[in-house]
Amino acid sequence: MAYTDQVVFPDKVLIDLPEASSRRFPGWVGPVLVISVENQGVCAWGVPLGFEDPAMLVGGDIYTRTGWIRGTTEYCSDVAAFVAARRWDASCLSQGPLLQAQAAELDGATLSELRRQYEQRPPTMGWPGHTVHRFEGRGVKIMLWDGPGQCDWWISAADVTTLQATATAVVPLSDLRTSLWSTDPEGVALLGQIRGRG
């Protein structure tokens, strides 16, 4: 499973109110229907009440471009986008082998190159980075948790051959030549081959 959040709604109706002393959506002026809570309670996702087409919010300890804050921001456009993003993330993280990196902060040139090579899916904001970027194409999925000071990469593909071609294409980006890693035996072997050519 991609995330181990505790799903609240529809099993339980929990309304986060502005007057609550331990507010899950700090700074939000109105009530919020809690949809799920991050597995360690760091943040929560919810829908603000009283709007015709409400955006999905994330509140708690969240990321901004300058670092952590205690607050609330728009996570994505609506509940359908939230579900679509979670399904996409699960499909990215469940394909194997999986390559990962805790790389340098995302730079504009790397982002531009990914946008040139792959189709970008809608990003989400606030958790687990200030922006989560999603790219896919040719049997490959690339997810980036973009945060201040670092960017976590997740790269998966429908098969090892496709993953190898993708890794070869992206390894010149950022500091991926040294920061990519894998716990899958096929991924470890693949990275050894790529680095051996460099």
Side-chain angles (χ1 to χ4, degrees), residues 104-115:
E105 188 169 348
L106 188 61
D107 60 273
T110 296
L111 194 54
S112 294
E113 184 61 21
L114 289 170
R115 286 176 174 150

Side-chain angles (χ1 to χ4, degrees), residues 12-179:
K12 181 179 178 185
V13 175
L14 176 61
I15 308 295
D16 186 64
L17 299 170
E19 60 270 17
S21 59
S22 57
R23 185 97 209 257
R24 292 188 188 276
F25 296 90
W28 191 258
V29 296
V32 179
L33 173 65
V34 180
I35 302 297
S36 64
V37 178
E38 192 268 340
N39 68 328
Q40 296 177 356
V42 171
C43 61
W45 291 266
V47 177
L49 300 177
F51 293 84
E52 188 171 323
D53 294 308
M56 190 77 171
L57 303 176
V58 61
D61 294 329
I62 60 172
Y63 255 132
T64 67
R65 291 196 178 277
T66 56
W68 290 101
I69 65 162
R70 180 120 182 104
T72 299
T73 193
E74 184 176 309
Y75 181 75
C76 59
S77 61
D78 54 32
V79 173
F82 173 75
V83 172
R86 289 306 176 98
R87 290 183 69 184
W88 191 98
D89 295 355
S91 69
C92 176
L93 297 174
S94 65
Q95 291 188 121
L98 181 66
L99 301 181
Q100 301 171 61
Q102 209 170 53
E105 188 169 348
L106 188 61
D107 60 273
T110 296
L111 194 54
S112 294
E113 184 61 21
L114 289 170
R115 286 176 174 150
R116 189 185 69 76
Q117 291 188 43
Y118 301 97
E119 184 177 346
Q120 187 167 16
R121 294 296 180 205
T124 52
M125 312 301 281
W127 180 264
H130 62 68
T131 308
V132 176
H133 299 278
R134 297 168 179 87
F135 298 92
E136 68 178 292
R138 302 180 304 274
V140 174
K141 292 192 174 192
I142 301 171
M143 179 167 47
L144 308 177
W145 293 354
D146 187 8
Q150 76 177 51
C151 183
D152 294 335
W153 290 64
W154 311 85
I155 306 170
S156 66
D159 57 71
V160 175
T161 302
T162 303
L163 186 62
Q164 182 169 7
T166 301
T168 301
V170 301
V171 79
L173 301 176
S174 185
D175 62 350
L176 293 183
R177 184 166 300 283
T178 56
S179 62

